Amino acid sequence: MSKYYLNYLDELESEAIFILREVWAQFQNPVILFSGGKDSIVVTHLAKKAFYPSRIPFPLMHVDTGHNFPETIKFRDDLIESLGARLIVGSVQESIDTGRVAEEKGKNATRNALQITTLLDAIENHKVDCAIGGGRRDEEKARAKERFFSHRDDFGQWDPKNQRPELWNILNGKHFEGEHFRAFPISNWTEMDVWNYILRENISIPSLYYAHERKVVWRQQSWIPVSEHLKLDEDEQIETKKIRFRTLGDITITGGIESDADSLEKIVAEVSAMKQTERGNRSDDKRSETAMEDRKRQGYF
């Protein structure tokens, strides 16, 4: 890796740490939104660096859909234990059981949109005034519209046409009671930057990111893992493929790619040759051209 690129990663790291420290300075009760995916893992790693030698001064919050990869939950619990951090869990199943949301039906049913209510309830119940996320501008066109400090109204909604200017690194976190912010420390990073940083820092990630054999079905132009939550059509054939995942979400909507990349070095090489966005294998983003922005307007990550 070139000296120039190492310096470039240092600049991205410094910017992210500055934003994390600004969050701690400006807000009373922030949390890190932790999904178990690589981006939230990198944000957590940066927070560890930002406040070292102290522990991360705010909790991690995970919205548990009940349809997670088992590997993700184990990784989450192991990381929380190693950090000595506090974990807040919002349960989508609890939201269903209490009538806050209704479960989708059908072959392509997902709990992805149901996370919105669970997340907003958890933010309100725990009086969170800033939720730190791992969203990046290169990831999806709706996320490209976010600022470092992204305002949410007292209904948890986002208005992309009415955002505050961020000039000369001046971040404005002032808000009224009931409102909150989302903060995106790695907003300027690309997928390639994330993987190069993970490689440089030797950050632990879930085994799902590495190539491994798995039972899958071909659906919506990607390999969907077989699980107890997946409803199969009669014409769908279960196959065993060597795949890995570029992004992690619910097991029912996260598609894998065929790959032999079983090390960080191989993943970096593979990603450098990719022409499709990492979210191209997420079936929840294929529901409409504006699927992500519609969910974000309502309060999604």
Side-chain angles (χ1 to χ4, degrees), residues 176-241:
F176 292 109
E177 182 72 24
E179 300 176 343
H180 74 277
F181 273 78
R182 308 287 170 86
F184 300 100
I186 62 170
S187 189
N188 283 335
W189 297 41
T190 65
E191 183 187 12
M192 198 71 220
D193 296 330
V194 169
W195 281 116
N196 275 311
Y197 188 72
I198 289 172
L199 175 62
R200 188 185 83 168
E201 300 286 302
N202 193 28
I203 300 172
S204 295
I205 55 174
S207 59
L208 298 161
Y209 282 112
Y210 298 106
H212 59 286
E213 287 195 345
R214 199 176 197 102
K215 292 186 182 301
V216 291
V217 296
W218 183 249
R219 181 184 292 182
Q220 293 185 315
Q221 304 305 305
S222 62
W223 292 108
I224 302 295
V226 174
S227 71
E228 60 181 312
H229 308 296
L230 188 69
K231 298 177 181 179
L232 297 176
D233 281 346
E234 292 182 0
D235 59 343
E236 287 182 322
Q237 299 295 319
I238 296 176
E239 302 181 51
T240 299
K241 295 284 184 180

Side-chain angles (χ1 to χ4, degrees), residues 87-229:
L87 176 67
I88 297 171
V89 178
S91 169
V92 171
Q93 186 61 56
E94 183 178 321
S95 297
I96 294 170
D97 294 342
T98 57
R100 293 284 292 145
V101 294
E103 183 111 51
E104 289 186 5
K105 307 296 182 183
K107 183 184 78 170
N108 294 316
T110 170
R111 289 186 169 184
N112 198 42
L114 307 188
Q115 297 178 80
I116 297 170
T117 298
T118 305
L119 172 63
L120 294 179
D121 285 349
I123 287 173
E124 182 177 359
N125 292 339
H126 293 276
K127 300 187 185 306
V128 172
D129 54 3
C130 183
I132 307 163
R136 308 188 324 269
R137 292 191 177 112
D138 79 315
E139 202 176 358
E140 204 275 340
K141 56 190 177 184
R143 287 188 166 161
K145 300 177 182 179
E146 294 275 19
R147 303 291 170 87
F148 286 126
F149 277 16
S150 189
H151 177 262
R152 298 300 195 268
D153 65 20
D154 52 355
F155 293 102
Q157 296 178 330
W158 172 60
D159 182 0
K161 295 182 179 179
N162 184 26
Q163 299 192 80
R164 299 174 182 179
E166 293 181 343
L167 307 174
W168 306 290
N169 291 329
I170 298 174
L171 305 176
N172 181 3
K174 292 183 178 179
H175 60 284
F176 292 109
E177 182 72 24
E179 300 176 343
H180 74 277
F181 273 78
R182 308 287 170 86
F184 300 100
I186 62 170
S187 189
N188 283 335
W189 297 41
T190 65
E191 183 187 12
M192 198 71 220
D193 296 330
V194 169
W195 281 116
N196 275 311
Y197 188 72
I198 289 172
L199 175 62
R200 188 185 83 168
E201 300 286 302
N202 193 28
I203 300 172
S204 295
I205 55 174
S207 59
L208 298 161
Y209 282 112
Y210 298 106
H212 59 286
E213 287 195 345
R214 199 176 197 102
K215 292 186 182 301
V216 291
V217 296
W218 183 249
R219 181 184 292 182
Q220 293 185 315
Q221 304 305 305
S222 62
W223 292 108
I224 302 295
V226 174
S227 71
E228 60 181 312
H229 308 296

Side-chain angles (χ1 to χ4, degrees), residues 69-86:
F69 286 91
E71 296 95 328
T72 304
I73 298 299
K74 184 180 187 307
F75 182 90
R76 179 201 71 183
D77 293 342
D78 290 346
L79 180 63
I80 291 296
E81 183 177 356
S82 68
L83 291 173
R86 185 162 69 94

Side-chain angles (χ1 to χ4, degrees), residues 13 30 51 59 63 73 82 205 234 256 258 265 289:
E13 180 187 71
F51 301 102
V63 177
I73 298 299
S82 68
I205 55 174
E234 292 182 0
E258 292 188 70
E265 290 81 2
E289 285 292 320

Side-chain angles (χ1 to χ4, degrees), residues 257-276:
I257 59 170
E258 292 188 70
S259 173
D260 291 314
D262 54 6
S263 69
L264 286 175
E265 290 81 2
K266 290 180 180 179
I267 290 174
V268 168
E270 184 180 82
V271 171
S272 68
M274 291 286 186
K275 295 182 179 180
Q276 184 186 43

